[in-house]
Amino acid sequence: MSKTVVCGSCDLVVNVDSRKGKFENICPRCGRRLNERNPADRTNIAIIAFSAIQFLFISIFVPFMSISAMGINSGMSLYSIIYILGHKWGLLLYSFLFFTFFSPVIVLVSSLLICGFKFKPGILWSKIYQFCHSMCMVDVFVLGICVSLIKLTSLVDVDFYLGFYTTFVFSVLLLWCCIKFKPSMLWNLVKEQEEVKLKLGKTAIIQNVKKCTECGYYFHSESEIDICPRCHSKVEFRKNSCFSKCLALLLAAVILYLPSNLYPVMYTEFLGSTTGSNIIEGVIAMWEMKSYFVSLVILLASIFIPAFKIFSIAFILYVTRYSKIRIKKRVSRLFRFVMFIGRWSLIDVYVVIIMSSVVRITGFLSIYPGFAIICFCAVVLITVFSADEFDERLIWDSEII
């Protein structure tokens, strides 16, 4: 069954066939995938979501892992992270809770209610779900656990408990739900896309059709600024104010990027002596300990990826503003790649949180977060929001010189 859609990346009107595979319905102009293949049965989504919720609450309260050194033991659970960070690192705690608990719970509860109990979502609920869906970072947290374990096993003996295994199961189930139950499915329950007469191979803007960047609904325009019939957001042909917003956020990220790399991200207290280490020093230390994989992961996620995002967004803004784009498809793919990798820089934040929570052997070895980890967390989030503010369709509107 075929239908006409408007590409959200380049504004081209394209005909897609839902019977084709996910790699066949590709926008011929920008290369963006336009549909998903084999949507999961809603009953299965509800079952998986309910199972994930159970595994989440088991993971919170049962022991996670413990370390031992010189006959001294120290254990942790996910709940103990709240207790430890709550004393002096409230901002870090709130970020951790939102990304790894509140957002996943909202996604899973929504999936259970809508798919299992036929709950009809409203506009506000759909907007909350869409935001939380993009902010679920349990997969990044799990990778942070793996990096932390490699670090810990070089220092102390590590034992794993039930919470460690249930956390991995929960992350897999959550990831499955996020892939199979995307925000677009919620918006279709709020209001189905009405048929709009469009000419194939032409852009929507020249046919006086607007597409809402919030929910993806497209309709014929009646004025310069319209109200989306589905989500009630203000809709323009292009987000022309995105340049100033994106640039302001980018400058804020650049300002915070320097202290996040120069100041210590964590402090290590060993036999009464405290030393701080920044990201670069941590990479060097892990390299000298022959933990090459960990050092490369931290170097890539904490140094290269944030810098790459900042330079890439600045480059995209420049070439779009001054019409310097010669191969628009490559620039558009660069933007989508920046959107994809944005979250993975939080690995180092999770590593510090886990290390600070488990390494608490009083009088022998303890690890504490440093001020720079707050700056680094802010850099990651600001660059994510900066990229999200940009309207990718402006790349295709610029003239080739």
Side-chain angles (χ1 to χ4, degrees):
M1 182 178 180
S2 61
K3 63 178 180 178
T4 302
V5 300
V6 178
C7 178
S9 292
C10 67
D11 205 41
L12 186 70
V13 179
V14 185
N15 195 44
V16 300
D17 191 343
S18 59
R19 294 170 296 184
K20 291 184 178 181
K22 64 180 180 179
F23 296 111
E24 296 180 48
N25 285 313
I26 302 295
C27 177
R29 192 184 190 198
C30 68
R32 174 174 175 165
R33 188 194 305 171
L34 297 175
N35 75 325
E36 298 294 332
R37 183 177 64 174
N38 300 329
D41 182 74
R42 291 188 182 180
T43 302
N44 293 336
I45 295 175
I47 293 172
I48 297 297
F50 181 67
S51 302
I53 292 172
Q54 290 180 308
F55 277 104
L56 171 61
F57 283 96
I58 292 173
S59 303
I60 291 174
F61 297 105
V62 300
F64 189 84
M65 65 180 177
S66 67
I67 62 172
S68 59
M70 299 180 66
I72 306 175
N73 295 320
S74 176
M76 67 160 284
S77 64
L78 295 183
Y79 180 77
S80 66
I81 296 177
I82 301 175
Y83 175 77
I84 292 169
L85 295 181
H87 286 292
K88 296 182 179 179
W89 301 95
L91 187 59
L92 198 61
L93 171 63
Y94 301 144
S95 301
F96 170 77
L97 287 176
F98 181 74
F99 295 136
T100 56
F101 181 75
F102 291 120
S103 289
V105 165
I106 290 175
V107 168
L108 293 173
V109 170
S110 299
S111 302
L112 178 61
L113 291 176
I114 295 169
C115 297
F117 297 94
K118 311 302 180 185
F119 174 78
K120 183 175 176 57
I123 295 174
L124 179 60
W125 189 268
S126 299
K127 288 184 177 181
I128 293 174
Y129 179 87
Q130 180 168 284
F131 180 73
C132 291
H133 185 277
S134 64
M135 291 290 110
C136 284
M137 301 198 184
V138 175
D139 48 349
V140 185
F141 175 62
V142 170
L143 184 56
I145 292 173
C146 296
V147 174
S148 301
L149 290 177
I150 299 175
K151 277 188 170 186
L152 286 171
T153 51
S154 63
L155 299 172
V156 293
D157 296 324
V158 182
D159 295 314
F160 305 108
Y161 299 114
L162 178 62
F164 175 82
Y165 301 104
T166 55
T167 299
F168 274 89
V169 175
F170 159 69
S171 65
V172 172
L173 297 179
L174 174 66
L175 184 61
W176 188 90
C177 287
C178 287
I179 293 174
K180 296 297 183 179
F181 196 61
K182 294 191 174 181
S184 58
M185 299 177 65
L186 241 71
W187 287 119
N188 286 330
L189 293 175
V190 174
K191 180 180 176 66
E192 286 281 353
Q193 173 66 55
E194 296 179 356
E195 184 178 353
V196 180
K197 293 184 178 180
L198 296 169
K199 294 181 180 180
L200 296 175
K202 303 288 185 180
T203 58
I205 190 172
I206 66 174
Q207 301 181 61
N208 204 36
V209 170
K210 291 179 178 177
K211 182 168 185 175
C212 178
T213 56
E214 184 77 23
C215 68
Y217 194 87
Y218 52 91
F219 55 94
H220 282 289
S221 173
E222 299 178 357
S223 59
E224 186 67 24
I225 300 178
D226 293 293
I227 301 298
C228 176
R230 180 155 67 183
C231 69
H232 299 170
S233 301
K234 291 183 179 180
V235 185
E236 302 175 84
F237 282 109
R238 298 291 184 268
K239 296 193 296 184
N240 293 314
S241 61
C242 71
F243 282 99
S244 56
K245 294 179 181 178
C246 190
L247 185 59
L249 291 170
L250 199 62
L251 290 174
V254 171
I255 293 171
L256 290 170
Y257 182 74
L258 294 177
S260 69
N261 285 278
L262 296 177
Y263 290 94
V265 293
M266 67 180 181
Y267 292 93
T268 303
E269 183 181 310
F270 181 68
L271 296 176
S273 178
T274 303
T275 57
S277 60
N278 57 32
I279 297 174
I280 294 294
E281 291 171 345
V283 171
I284 295 173
M286 295 308 298
W287 187 271
E288 291 176 346
M289 296 169 63
K290 297 184 179 181
S291 297
Y292 303 122
F293 174 74
V294 175
S295 61
L296 289 175
V297 168
I298 296 175
L299 181 66
L300 181 66
S302 303
I303 302 295
F304 288 155
I305 289 181
F308 173 78
K309 288 191 298 181
I310 291 172
F311 282 112
S312 297
I313 296 172
F315 169 76
I316 293 169
L317 288 176
Y318 174 77
V319 297
T320 304
R321 187 72 169 182
Y322 295 101
S323 302
K324 301 293 183 182
I325 305 176
R326 298 183 183 274
I327 307 177
K328 298 182 180 183
K329 195 170 186 178
R330 291 183 181 178
V331 178
S332 192
R333 284 178 174 173
L334 174 63
F335 174 76
R336 294 198 293 271
F337 181 69
V338 169
M339 293 287 289
F340 172 75
I341 65 172
R343 56 194 291 160
W344 292 98
S345 295
L346 281 176
I347 290 175
D348 207 38
V349 177
Y350 283 126
V351 168
V352 172
I353 290 175
I354 295 167
M355 297 283 283
S356 302
S357 301
V358 68
V359 184
R360 291 274 170 168
I361 305 177
T362 305
F364 176 66
L365 179 64
S366 297
I367 293 178
Y368 305 94
F371 168 75
I373 200 64
I374 301 294
C375 297
F376 181 77
C377 184
V379 169
V380 176
L381 296 179
I382 289 173
T383 52
V384 169
F385 294 141
S386 177
D388 190 59
E389 284 291 337
F390 183 71
D391 192 338
E392 186 183 354
R393 297 171 296 179
L394 291 170
I395 296 173
W396 296 91
D397 290 342
S398 59
E399 296 180 357
I400 303 176
I401 61 172

